[in-house]
Amino acid sequence: MKKITSGAAEQMASDPQIDPTSSPHQPAVRAGYPRTGIISNSRSHRNRTRGTESVTAPADTADLFYRGPRTLPALAQTLREFRDAGIELLVVDGGDGTVRDVLTCAHGIFAGKLPRIAVVPSGKTNALALDLGLPADWSVQDALEASVHGRTAARSPVEILRGDAVQPELCGFLFGAGAFVRATELAQRTHTAGAFNSFAVGLSLFWGIAQTLFGGHANDWRAGAPMRLQLDDATPAERNFYILFSSTLERLPLKLKPFGPVRAGLKVLAVDAPPKHLARAVPALLRGSQAAWLETAGYRRHDVGAFTLTLDGGFILDGELYEGGTLTVRQGTPLQFVTP
C-alpha cells in the first residue's frame, strides 16, 4: 500500500545501533528470560536525543537478539531471523509508527501467530504505550522483567485491506480520514516545534477546532471529504464526512473519549459535514457524553467488526498518510502485549 509521506521504517538506523551504556538498551541477561528479539529505531525521538545512532549495538547472546533495520525489506529480513530463532518475546523500541511497521511486516512472516510483544515508547507519539499503561521511562529491562511475571494485556490491531484482498496490508491502532488527516499534519508541525505526545495532541485538537469554527462556511475543514461508508451489513452512507475516526485502543491521550465509555473492540466516530453545533459538541464528545442530541446532530458512534470505506483523499494510520481508494477496515486477532 503506497505511502504519501515517508514512513518510520525507512527512517530506522542503518545499523543495529544501540547504546550499550543506556539501561533501555543493555538489559542484564539472566536465566529465565524468554528468548527475545529487539527491534530498535535509533531515529525515534527518545533514542535520537540520547545519541544512540553513533554507538554500536552489543553482540547477540543465545537468547537475546538486537537489530536496527533501516528499510522495510531489512525489517522483514530481521523478523524472519527472529521467527527462525524461535523468539518468544518481540520488543519494539520506537513510537507508534515503528510499531505499525513491525506489526504489518510480522503479520505475514509469523502467519498471524505473533509472539508476545513489548513496546518501549521512544517515539514522538506513543498512543499504544499510553493505552497499555507503560511509563514514559519504560525500558527493555523493564519489559523483560515484566515478561517473566507474565503480565500482559490483549489488544487487537486495526487491519487495513485494499480492494478484494484477504490479508491485511497494514496493521495499526489509530485510523482516520477527513479532518483527521489535516489534524495529523498539524501534529507533525507541533513535533517540529518541540511538542510531543499528549501536548502535541492537545495543540492539534485546539488548532483544528479553531480552523473549523472561525474559517467561514467555505472553509475546507468544514466542507469535509466525500466518502462512501458501509458499517458491517448496514446500508452504505455516501456523503461528505467532516471526520472519520476509528480505533481499537481503549484509552486515548489526554483521557479523551470520542467513542464514549472505555471499552474494547473496533470503534468508529463518523461526523457529518459541515459539523453542526461544533462548539457545543466537541466538549461533549471528548468527555464521552452519550447525549442523544449528538447523534441527531450528525455525530455518530458505532461498534463494528469491520467497515468498508471508499474515499478519494488519503487516510492516516498511526501518523502516516496513505493513498485512498476502497478499503476494508477490520478488527484483527488480539495480540498479547507485556505490561508493568
Side-chain angles (χ1 to χ4, degrees):
M1 189 172 289
K2 186 176 180 181
K3 294 179 181 180
I4 297 177
T5 57
S6 61
E10 283 85 356
Q11 298 173 358
M12 289 183 175
S14 57
D15 300 303
Q17 296 157 333
I18 304 170
D19 184 354
T21 66
S22 176
S23 60
H25 302 303
Q26 183 62 17
V29 181
R30 66 170 174 81
Y33 283 160
R35 177 164 287 195
T36 302
I38 301 170
I39 291 176
S40 177
N41 183 356
S42 65
R43 293 191 181 181
S44 64
H45 172 68
R46 189 173 73 176
N47 291 341
R48 187 177 66 250
T49 56
R50 287 178 173 174
T52 59
E53 288 182 296
S54 61
V55 184
T56 302
D60 291 345
T61 70
D63 292 310
L64 204 61
F65 309 93
Y66 295 82
R67 297 292 183 271
R70 183 179 183 181
T71 64
L72 289 175
L75 174 60
Q77 178 58 34
T78 291
L79 289 167
R80 284 191 288 268
E81 292 176 12
F82 287 177
R83 177 201 60 196
D84 294 343
I87 67 165
E88 302 164 291
L89 177 66
L90 174 61
V91 177
V92 184
D93 180 5
D96 290 331
T98 306
V99 173
R100 177 203 60 231
D101 288 339
V102 170
L103 293 186
T104 296
C105 286
H107 187 279
I109 291 170
F110 285 85
K113 299 179 180 178
L114 276 70
R116 287 177 296 162
I117 301 166
V119 176
V120 177
S122 57
K124 293 177 181 177
T125 59
N126 303 282
L128 173 60
L130 184 151
D131 182 37
L132 294 172
L134 307 182
D137 60 351
W138 178 255
S139 67
V140 171
Q141 184 71 54
D142 295 328
L144 288 171
E145 294 291 343
S147 70
V148 171
H149 298 288
R151 296 191 290 265
T152 62
R155 290 294 184 272
S156 297
V158 175
E159 296 182 346
I160 312 295
L161 297 83
R162 188 179 291 276
D164 297 326
V166 295
Q167 295 297 323
E169 295 188 29
L170 290 168
C171 298
F173 288 93
L174 292 170
F175 173 91
F180 194 85
V181 173
R182 296 177 183 273
T184 301
E185 292 171 346
L186 286 177
Q188 291 171 345
R189 295 176 195 171
T190 65
H191 294 160
T192 303
F196 305 103
N197 289 313
S198 294
F199 184 44
V201 172
L203 281 178
S204 301
L205 181 62
F206 171 80
W207 283 113
I209 294 170
Q211 290 280 352
T212 306
L213 283 174
F214 305 114
H217 292 290
N219 180 269
D220 288 341
W221 285 77
R222 293 180 59 82
M227 305 181 200
R228 185 179 188 274
L229 173 64
Q230 182 170 5
L231 299 163
D232 283 333
D233 297 326
T235 302
E238 192 164 358
R239 57 179 176 271
N240 278 27
F241 286 92
Y242 171 64
I243 191 170
L244 185 72
F245 181 37
S246 182
S247 181
T248 51
L249 297 183
E250 298 178 16
R251 289 171 291 274
L252 297 177
L254 300 179
K255 299 182 179 180
L256 303 180
K257 298 179 180 178
F259 305 115
V262 173
R263 61 197 185 280
L266 182 63
K267 302 165 288 288
V268 179
L269 170 66
V271 179
D272 292 344
K276 299 177 181 178
H277 314 300
L278 189 64
R280 179 187 175 197
V282 167
L285 276 175
L286 297 185
R287 68 172 181 266
S289 171
Q290 295 180 283
W293 70 266
L294 286 167
E295 182 168 354
T296 303
Y299 299 83
R300 300 179 179 90
R301 299 178 174 118
H302 307 272
D303 288 79
V304 297
F307 62 90
T308 302
L309 179 67
T310 301
L311 71 168
D312 294 330
F315 67 90
I316 296 288
L317 185 68
D318 291 345
E320 196 75 60
L321 179 61
Y322 296 87
E323 289 183 344
T326 297
L327 317 166
T328 296
V329 182
R330 72 185 185 191
Q331 178 178 328
T333 302
L335 304 174
Q336 295 297 320
F337 290 91
V338 174
T339 60

